[in-house]
Amino acid sequence: MQRACSFTVNREQINTQFSVYLNSNIISRMKKIFILLAMICVEHIATAQDYVPTGQDMNKFMSTKTLVVLENNPMCDFNLNIKDIMKKEWKITPFDFITNQEFEKKKMDPHYSFLMMTLVNFTGDKTEATYRFLHLLMGGNYRTLKEMPDICAIPLAYEGVDQENYIYKLSVLVRFMQDHVKRLQTNPKLLTTNIFKYYNENMGDIKTKTLYLVADEMSKEVNTEARIKRIYPYKFKIVTREEIEDAINNRDDDVVFLHKVGPEKTRFRARCYKIIMSAADAKCYYFDYHMVNDNHPDSFLESDFKKLAKK
């Protein structure tokens, strides 16, 4: 399995700009979360630890050319998919594709922004887990990758997880990034207020949608239709990854799906993130996480369905 771009970022912690709260218990847990889907402002070690993008940053970004950094292996899934995805989805800036070597030459040029996969681990994290992120970064006078300002960062998977487990969702994640940038550009007040409050208040009503789930991403207590119906009374369907990909490509407004970031069959027993988002516009409908252990497998749990049913 090929690694994502050969960039590894050590982060002291993650400062969130976006979070989805489900109830008061989850609110207290959210304070401990290291990574979130969407609008995560990754901490920049050195001088930008509490950095939040400004209106000036957004204006600068809109004037850049976005360079997509390809992986070294020309036949990897990311490279084979991202070119078509950018052509279909990306409208806010001109874009092109570059190699890792070209990135090293261009990263200090403020006329460029960069869309790229990175490897992220967290200093002091005893699990020693490494995560793949999709980053949207600003170029400029920054010598290292970890100093470059993040416009947006999205967790994709653990390092070592086969790209087939998440690459089919890449289109909607890019869609989310673009929509978020446009939202900040048109509503700069979100840059100076509590932006996760905005997303929390605008979280979708899952009861009006059909929830698409993949059987091998659910715990054994809830991996059949009969078991799910006992605790979740709303529309759902157990599907293949190909069916989720079709819903994303067709922008099916009726479909929401699970984006699970877990250790899969890697050696790590760390966090399992569970995010439900729209196939049409990448709107968030649910976010939670748990630590993987013998009682809480790397799966969407019965307790998650119970929380959804109470929303």
Side-chain angles (χ1 to χ4, degrees):
M1 183 63 201
Q2 294 294 316
R3 293 169 63 91
C5 297
S6 56
F7 300 108
T8 301
V9 185
N10 293 313
R11 305 296 191 187
E12 296 293 340
Q13 68 180 58
I14 296 290
N15 294 322
T16 62
Q17 290 184 22
F18 162 70
S19 179
V20 177
Y21 296 149
L22 302 175
N23 53 47
S24 58
N25 290 332
I26 290 182
I27 290 176
S28 63
R29 291 179 64 193
M30 286 293 185
K31 295 178 182 178
K32 300 178 182 179
I33 289 177
F34 289 93
I35 62 176
L36 300 172
L37 174 71
M39 302 353 345
I40 346 185
C41 178
V42 180
E43 176 180 49
H44 301 132
I45 301 170
T47 60
Q49 291 186 355
D50 296 315
Y51 182 82
V52 175
T54 65
Q56 185 179 14
D57 292 324
M58 299 310 299
N59 290 334
K60 286 182 179 179
F61 172 80
M62 297 300 290
S63 67
T64 65
K65 183 175 185 178
T66 300
L67 301 179
V68 181
V69 183
L70 301 174
E71 297 193 50
N72 288 327
N73 177 5
M75 299 305 296
C76 73
D77 291 337
F78 179 79
N79 289 3
L80 294 175
N81 284 269
I82 194 62
K83 291 185 178 181
D84 285 340
I85 289 171
M86 290 296 288
K87 291 173 183 176
K88 292 177 181 178
E89 303 289 349
W90 200 259
K91 310 298 180 185
I92 54 176
T93 59
F95 65 89
D96 204 348
F97 304 91
I98 61 172
T99 65
N100 290 347
Q101 292 73 23
E102 290 172 307
F103 169 75
E104 290 298 326
K105 297 176 181 178
K106 297 177 182 293
K107 68 182 180 183
M108 298 184 70
D109 190 330
H111 296 99
Y112 294 125
S113 54
F114 301 91
L115 180 68
M116 60 192 298
M117 289 210 295
T118 63
L119 300 179
V120 176
N121 52 55
F122 303 99
T123 302
D125 185 352
K126 295 181 180 180
T127 69
E128 299 181 347
T130 299
Y131 304 86
R132 292 175 182 258
F133 269 73
L134 186 67
H135 272 96
L136 187 58
L137 300 164
M138 289 289 291
N141 190 25
Y142 311 103
R143 293 190 175 277
T144 63
L145 180 69
K146 61 189 176 185
E147 294 174 354
M148 298 171 68
D150 286 290
I151 300 299
C152 183
I154 300 176
L156 294 176
Y158 279 55
E159 165 62 352
V161 169
D162 196 314
Q163 289 192 15
E164 291 182 357
N165 284 20
Y166 62 87
I167 207 71
Y168 65 97
K169 297 175 283 190
L170 186 59
S171 178
V172 77
L173 299 178
V174 170
R175 193 177 302 163
F176 174 85
M177 279 187 158
Q178 177 170 253
D179 289 348
H180 175 71
V181 169
K182 290 192 291 187
R183 184 173 292 113
L184 295 182
Q185 176 71 10
T186 57
N187 190 357
K189 290 183 179 179
L190 295 177
L191 292 164
T192 57
T193 60
N194 196 343
I195 195 170
F196 62 74
K197 183 175 183 292
Y198 168 84
Y199 280 98
N200 177 41
E201 292 175 349
N202 288 275
M203 186 170 61
D205 183 3
I206 200 167
K207 297 173 184 178
T208 67
K209 305 292 183 179
T210 301
L211 174 59
Y212 274 23
L213 299 158
V214 178
D216 63 21
E217 293 185 337
M218 294 181 288
S219 65
K220 62 182 181 180
E221 293 81 9
V222 286
N223 63 356
T224 68
E225 290 188 3
R227 291 169 179 171
I228 295 171
K229 285 179 179 178
R230 288 188 295 105
I231 53 178
Y232 185 73
Y234 306 109
K235 293 187 295 182
F236 70 90
K237 187 177 180 182
I238 298 177
V239 300
T240 64
R241 288 174 172 83
E242 289 75 18
E243 288 175 285
I244 293 178
E245 184 176 16
D246 287 342
I248 291 170
N249 292 338
N250 295 329
R251 298 178 182 267
D252 192 331
D253 189 53
D254 180 57
V255 173
V256 296
F257 66 92
L258 174 66
H259 174 50
K260 184 182 72 69
V261 177
E264 306 296 340
K265 297 180 181 179
T266 64
R267 65 181 178 85
F268 301 105
R269 289 167 63 89
R271 300 165 188 83
C272 175
Y273 296 90
K274 301 157 290 185
I275 304 139
I276 293 175
M277 59 197 310
S278 167
D281 58 11
K283 186 172 185 177
C284 269
Y285 286 75
Y286 181 81
F287 179 91
D288 200 7
Y289 86 103
H290 65 266
M291 297 300 293
V292 175
N293 55 41
D294 292 340
N295 296 321
H296 300 89
D298 174 22
S299 307
F300 199 69
L301 306 176
E302 181 177 359
S303 59
D304 292 307
F305 280 108
K306 290 179 178 179
K307 291 171 187 175
L308 286 177
K310 291 179 179 180
K311 282 187 57 183

